[in-house]
Amino acid sequence: MKIAILSRNTRLYSTQRLVDAARARGHVVRVLDPLRCYVRIAPGHVAMRYKGKPVRDIDAAIPRIGTQSTFYGTAVLRQLETMGVYTPNSSDAVLRARDKLRSLQILAAQGIAMPVTVFGDNPDDTEDLLAMLGEPPHVIKLNEGSQGNGVVLAEKRSASQSVIEAFRGLYANFLVQEFIAEAKGCDLRCFVVGGKVVAAMQREASAGDFRANLHRGGSAVAVKLSAAEKRIAVRAAEALGLGVAGVDLLRSERGPLVLEVNASPGLEGIEAVTGVDVAGAIIELLQTRVGDTPRVARRGKTNAT
């Protein structure tokens, strides 16, 4: 199988682990910087080139698309899909997950439990918006932030209003959520691959912070999930159409709540903490889904030269 990994940096841990896992299983793998890919779009004849050379005969693609290159990266991924290339996370699924508001609306429509969330634009509505949410503390977060960036805890209503005004002054899209105090600064990262939770860890915020992201100094330990936690993680990934996802949960008094779903979850923390070969599980998913199906059959009538 010929595998393309869409990544801007070959030296990143997650990218290198996927390369190693693919090669260990006898596959040919190539890392493509999505910003160096360019495409030709025409009826019946689509094409892609990379650094002056044609991209062809790719069987599967793994998107590792950062927030700064969402638009272009998903366009490149969509072109590969048009060329008959299999991907566990389609371009549309990546876009659904990257937009926090859209993803929460989809999850809510599926009846998947989450923290109560409100969203509004006009300053005149802020007071009523917060009344819809309830008493503080409130968590205010940028709609397309990642790794805990752009997330603020406001402990008083006046603080919530000030942060909201500041975000509006920056013309930023944001959400306001209830704060789940009983989680005590901890969350669960559930790594879902092919409809199964293959690894999970509990992350705890560093002293003085409420964000449990490892990139912000949080710590983590391997954790055993309940059956309910596994089910909701898998349901959340499936609702967004993701074959590979990092689903973040909070343990609350009313059961597990989905905090966020990540379409390009990092491998370093989860593999180090759990000892699970998550990269290998992703490659094995590709093997299962692509199998022996000829690429030309998947592509149909599309010309991928």
Side-chain angles (χ1 to χ4, degrees), residues 135-204:
E135 292 302 311
H138 300 142
V139 178
I140 305 159
K141 58 177 65 175
L142 293 176
N143 192 45
E144 295 186 355
S146 64
Q147 299 177 350
N149 294 315
V151 181
V152 179
L153 176 64
E155 297 188 4
K156 297 181 179 180
R157 186 176 294 268
S158 59
S160 297
Q161 291 174 326
S162 296
V163 173
I164 288 171
E165 289 173 4
F167 278 179
R168 284 195 175 123
L170 297 172
Y171 300 99
N173 292 316
F174 59 90
L175 308 172
V176 190
Q177 291 184 320
E178 66 172 319
F179 177 62
I180 308 301
E182 60 267 31
K184 298 179 179 179
C186 295
D187 70 10
L188 306 175
R189 164 56 62 91
C190 311
F191 211 109
V192 178
V193 178
K196 297 180 180 178
V197 177
V198 298
M201 62 181 175
Q202 177 173 289
R203 304 182 297 188
E204 183 175 358

Side-chain angles (χ1 to χ4, degrees), residues 10-23:
T10 59
R11 295 186 297 273
L12 290 176
Y13 177 92
S14 299
T15 301
Q16 193 56 56
R17 280 288 295 120
L18 290 167
V19 169
D20 293 343
R23 289 176 176 166

Side-chain angles (χ1 to χ4, degrees), residues 86 88 193-194 243-244 280-290:
Y86 167 76
V193 178
V244 174
I282 294 171
I283 300 303
E284 288 166 10
L285 172 65
L286 303 189
Q287 293 174 170
T288 301
R289 298 298 169 86
V290 175

Side-chain angles (χ1 to χ4, degrees), residues 3-198:
I3 301 171
I5 300 174
L6 297 181
S7 172
R8 300 223 56 214
N9 189 345
T10 59
R11 295 186 297 273
L12 290 176
Y13 177 92
S14 299
T15 301
Q16 193 56 56
R17 280 288 295 120
L18 290 167
V19 169
D20 293 343
R23 289 176 176 166
R25 289 161 176 77
H27 303 298
V28 176
V29 60
R30 186 181 182 189
V31 179
L32 303 178
D33 178 350
L35 299 191
R36 293 298 307 273
C37 297
Y38 44 103
V39 305
R40 180 182 190 274
I41 305 168
H45 188 98
V46 298
M48 179 182 294
R49 297 178 74 82
Y50 182 74
K51 296 183 178 180
K53 296 182 179 180
V55 175
R56 54 164 66 101
D57 300 330
I58 301 296
D59 295 297
I62 303 173
R64 300 290 309 174
I65 298 169
T67 56
Q68 299 301 316
S69 55
T70 298
F71 174 80
Y72 198 92
T74 53
V76 169
L77 181 60
R78 189 178 305 112
Q79 187 80 353
L80 289 171
E81 294 173 72
T82 303
M83 294 163 59
V85 176
Y86 167 76
T87 177
N89 291 351
S90 69
S91 54
D92 284 342
V94 173
L95 288 171
R96 284 192 289 267
R98 192 58 51 84
D99 184 335
K100 289 185 175 66
L101 174 62
R102 184 181 179 190
S103 65
L104 290 175
Q105 289 173 318
I106 292 170
L107 297 178
Q110 295 292 320
I112 296 173
M114 67 188 69
V116 176
T117 304
V118 297
F119 171 79
D121 181 70
N122 196 297
D124 293 340
D125 300 325
T126 299
E127 186 174 345
D128 192 43
L129 182 75
L130 294 176
M132 289 171 63
L133 180 59
E135 292 302 311
H138 300 142
V139 178
I140 305 159
K141 58 177 65 175
L142 293 176
N143 192 45
E144 295 186 355
S146 64
Q147 299 177 350
N149 294 315
V151 181
V152 179
L153 176 64
E155 297 188 4
K156 297 181 179 180
R157 186 176 294 268
S158 59
S160 297
Q161 291 174 326
S162 296
V163 173
I164 288 171
E165 289 173 4
F167 278 179
R168 284 195 175 123
L170 297 172
Y171 300 99
N173 292 316
F174 59 90
L175 308 172
V176 190
Q177 291 184 320
E178 66 172 319
F179 177 62
I180 308 301
E182 60 267 31
K184 298 179 179 179
C186 295
D187 70 10
L188 306 175
R189 164 56 62 91
C190 311
F191 211 109
V192 178
V193 178
K196 297 180 180 178
V197 177
V198 298

